[in-house]
Amino acid sequence: MSAEAADREAATSSRPCTPPQTSWFEFVLEEALLEQHLQKPSPDPPPVQLIVQFLEQASKPSVNEQNQVQPPPDNKRNRILKLLALKVAAHLKWDLDVLEKSLSVPVLNMLLNELLCISKVPPGTKHVDVDLSSLPPTTAMAILLYNRWAIRTIVQSSFPVKQVKPGPPQLNVMNQMQQEKELTENILKVLKEQAADSILVLEGALKLNKDLYVHTIRTLDLLAMEPGMVNGETESSTAGLKISAEEIQCQVCYDLGAIYFQQGSTNVAVHEKAKEKFFKTKELIAKNGSSSLHFTIDEERLAGYCQACEVLTSSSDDASQQATPYSQIHSCMKSGNYQDIVKIFLEDNLTLSLPEQFRQSVLRELFQKAQQGNDALDEVCFKVCVCNTVCDVLQGRTIDIQFCQLFLKPSKEKIDFLLEVCSGSINLENASEALKRKMAAFLKNLCLGMEDLQFVFMISSHELFIKLLKDDERKLLIDQMRKRSPRINLCTKPVTSFYDIPASASVNIGQLEHQLILSVDPWRIRQILIELHGMTSERQFWTISNKWEVPNVYGNVILGIKDSLTRDLVYILMAKGLHCCAIKDFIHAKQLFAACLELVTEFSPKLRQVMLNEMLLLDIYTHEAGAGASGERPPSDLISRVRGYLEMRVPDIPLRQVIAEECVAFLLNWCENEYLTMQVPLPLVQTNPYVKLGQLLAATCKELPGPKESRRTAKDLWEVVVQICSVSNQHKRGNDGRVSLIKHRESTLGIMYRSELLSFIKKLREPLVLTTILSLFVKLHNVREDIVNDIAAEHISIWPSSIPNLQSVDFEAVAVTVKELVSYALTINANNHFWLIIQADIYFATNQYSAALHYYLQAGAVCSDFFNKMVPPDVYTDQVIKRMIKCCSLLNCHTQVAILCQFLREVDYKTAFKALQEQNSHDAMDSYYEYIWDVTILEYLTYLHHKRGETDKRQIAIKAIGQTELNASNPEEVLQLAAQRRKKKFLQAMAKLYF
């Protein structure tokens, strides 16, 4: 063999060249670094860091005489360094857990490749083609180690990584980090491409039924000797550290289970393989014991994998799997059977088998589903939260904030369910005293935190409460409640020892007052008041509850009644009626108002008219919440009564502004525009601002289809709203003599305050009226000089295009009003595409591009049957498309930008080409090419990928161009159909992405 050939073979040989027999280099590195460091109990730096040092030194590029950078030379020095790195790894017994935690992917890749070389694995040979049973034990083990590391690295790369907070920027450090990141990505790409081969290698290793050996420091020293000095020991079955066949199977099964589990996210059937491997691992650990394993396995993680596999692979007819709560909950979540989840959680409150983290994760998932628009889940979320809270109480944990938020507004149903959960979560006969005290403290604190005595009474009179709290504790609780509300006597369920004491007059009064607070039966209220007035004449019983509120305009008249019993009765009946009306209990409200009307008719015409007005308002509420909600027109007598109220001219009658407001809104909602425009009396328009506003709105809506010159009322309405939104300026001289300008947000220049106007608009439901007032505010918003992005709206052209005194308008308040109005409008009709476009424009103007895209897409979806039909051109105008393009561009979704450029009447090639040149794109890139129908863009893509050397992507673009339906020779109808089909698919894909 020639010298050159010998040198080439030495350079490519898998066995390191012999180091110099005695040199300072070998002595310093081998003796000082290895023996001294590795023999110390806790060497510093740690042994694993020596691998990094050795391999970094060995991989440093060299510079020749012409100052050209050359690859690292294959000389004696570098071979010795690589051998030393392998010795350190051998000292660590090739424990992948230790090596992966401390070494980066590029370093560990280099180390294992050196192991393959020194183990005589032929370079360039695919591991899957090698028969492991025919190889020496150390060679087979080296292949196993490499392929185990490969799939472990793939699995680890799929986990989210917490970003390390960067320190002060240093250019050389940043460059080094970027190089390492790119190198890691390249290695991962290769490993993923070879993943199938690695899996086959490991599956083949499971069929080996023999022990293997891994290199030690001694075997590595033997390999480094002169070929003539090696006696063949490294080839035998006794060289190196012995790894039993059971240990190999255990570790390989675990690693295969992990990769199968990861692949199961895209292929559910693979979960069965993962389950098989994990359970095999469990069996081997149980058989051999975890202490006997050379390679340790995280048994907690293994248990989690097994549990997840049980849930993911369980079938409906598998009784044993369904017996576990995890499988049942998983099945219920998939099928939408949420009530059964509540039952499972309630049953688990006794056994406490479900971990706290799992309970919280189920609740979070339910909350997310509820926030996505599933209103039926609100009740389920509350019930699951209550089960979790009671479980936390019993285990001594703090109560979650979600429970406190859900219990801000308690109701009878919520209290009933809470008491049911508390009763079902504790077995009083077998429960410990500590458990009972925890539950008692929870119920007691719940009582102290409530203001409504009806709910307090429900808890304090419950059987569980009475059994858990002693007599003196309940008495102490009553005293605490008395101190908090001096006029209230709280009564609990009768206790024999306490009720043996004869009741005093004050106790009887307290009981009657309690009944008076809770009762909504007018005749029972009257009877209680008669009894109370018979016991004492010194009390004003209308003051015993701070929840009884009557408007001041009525209160002055009622409190002027001389007879104390009648005064109390009228006040309480009206207060309770107004409260029932506020909570939408219209049946009891009607009974209370009817009794009050019958009572005041006998002695006060003024109060009689007051009650008739309140009953009119109640009838409006009742109709709007009942038949009106389904679109049924109100009866003619109700419309007549509303008109009668607006035209009423009875002097000295106390009137609530809200009644006039509701009456005008009622007429607008039921399109009584003719009456408001032509028949309403002029004095009423001049004196009542709501009537004036209603008349202008009705007239404007009526004239909308008419010619432009007939829209005088639109200008009048514009001027009224502009005045309401104007600010009054005042000048004030400060202490330094300077004059400052003070702006008052709530202007008194208009016919009402802006907050009152907003409150009135939120009572409207008629789409045309809402569209009209919304377009007015949008136009007012667009008038300002510093506006960058206009908001589009229907009928916007009917309003004036300028304001004489622009500085007087509070444009900040106008912007807030527009946002509130469009949000309210979408609660009335979430499928109005014009309102959705307004909402999208608002998000666009405020730089919330993802939300803007959501609403632009939703607007197109609702008017095209989810893009199965063509989106009307008046919805997706060029302006809307351009804004969608800008949103995608600012979100770094550049391929989407290029596709949207085709939607314009004239394709914007400049923007499309510029977007396609961007390489840092956050969208699906080449998977979107099938949605491009413009051949020019596709040809540019082909050129671009060819220029970059991206062969795969270029082929995708070529395939897209080659579709026959895009042939320029096709008839126009075929080309339009092809474009329309791609538009549909692209918009549907975008909708799935942003909805």
Side-chain angles (χ1 to χ4, degrees), residues 225-244:
M225 289 182 181
E226 289 288 351
M229 298 174 64
V230 180
N231 60 5
E233 186 182 354
T234 54
E235 304 283 339
S236 71
S237 60
T238 59
L241 180 65
K242 178 181 176 182
I243 311 295
S244 69

Side-chain angles (χ1 to χ4, degrees), residues 202-261:
L202 296 184
E203 287 284 7
L206 293 178
K207 299 173 185 176
L208 286 176
N209 195 17
K210 65 175 184 177
D211 301 337
L212 296 180
Y213 292 82
V214 68
H215 281 299
T216 61
I217 294 178
R218 180 171 173 274
T219 59
L220 291 169
D221 280 334
L222 290 172
L223 287 171
M225 289 182 181
E226 289 288 351
M229 298 174 64
V230 180
N231 60 5
E233 186 182 354
T234 54
E235 304 283 339
S236 71
S237 60
T238 59
L241 180 65
K242 178 181 176 182
I243 311 295
S244 69
E246 288 81 6
E247 292 180 47
I248 293 170
Q249 285 201 347
C250 186
Q251 190 63 47
V252 170
C253 278
Y254 180 76
D255 291 336
L256 281 172
I259 190 70
Y260 285 146
F261 190 87

Side-chain angles (χ1 to χ4, degrees), residues 154-305:
I154 294 169
V155 171
Q156 192 63 33
S157 69
S158 67
F159 297 151
V161 180
K162 184 179 180 182
Q163 295 294 328
V164 180
K165 187 176 181 181
Q170 298 179 13
L171 187 59
N172 58 339
V173 175
M174 291 173 67
N175 288 339
Q176 187 178 354
M177 289 173 63
Q178 182 62 28
Q179 288 173 6
E180 185 173 330
K181 182 181 177 184
E182 290 175 359
L183 189 55
T184 303
E185 288 175 355
N186 291 335
I187 293 171
L188 274 173
K189 183 180 179 183
V190 174
L191 293 179
K192 287 175 181 177
E193 289 172 356
Q194 298 174 352
D197 288 351
S198 295
I199 291 171
L200 287 174
V201 169
L202 296 184
E203 287 284 7
L206 293 178
K207 299 173 185 176
L208 286 176
N209 195 17
K210 65 175 184 177
D211 301 337
L212 296 180
Y213 292 82
V214 68
H215 281 299
T216 61
I217 294 178
R218 180 171 173 274
T219 59
L220 291 169
D221 280 334
L222 290 172
L223 287 171
M225 289 182 181
E226 289 288 351
M229 298 174 64
V230 180
N231 60 5
E233 186 182 354
T234 54
E235 304 283 339
S236 71
S237 60
T238 59
L241 180 65
K242 178 181 176 182
I243 311 295
S244 69
E246 288 81 6
E247 292 180 47
I248 293 170
Q249 285 201 347
C250 186
Q251 190 63 47
V252 170
C253 278
Y254 180 76
D255 291 336
L256 281 172
I259 190 70
Y260 285 146
F261 190 87
Q262 187 232 355
Q263 290 175 347
S265 59
T266 56
N267 185 357
V268 181
V270 181
H271 279 139
E272 288 288 352
K273 290 186 181 180
K275 179 181 176 182
E276 177 192 339
K277 301 302 178 189
F278 285 133
F279 277 84
K280 179 68 175 175
T281 308
K282 213 171 182 181
E283 288 174 15
L284 289 168
I285 291 176
K287 179 182 175 183
N288 302 313
S290 58
S291 60
S292 67
L293 289 176
H294 171 65
F295 299 108
T296 56
I297 289 178
D298 187 345
E299 292 191 50
E300 287 186 5
R301 194 175 189 87
L302 175 62
Y305 271 132

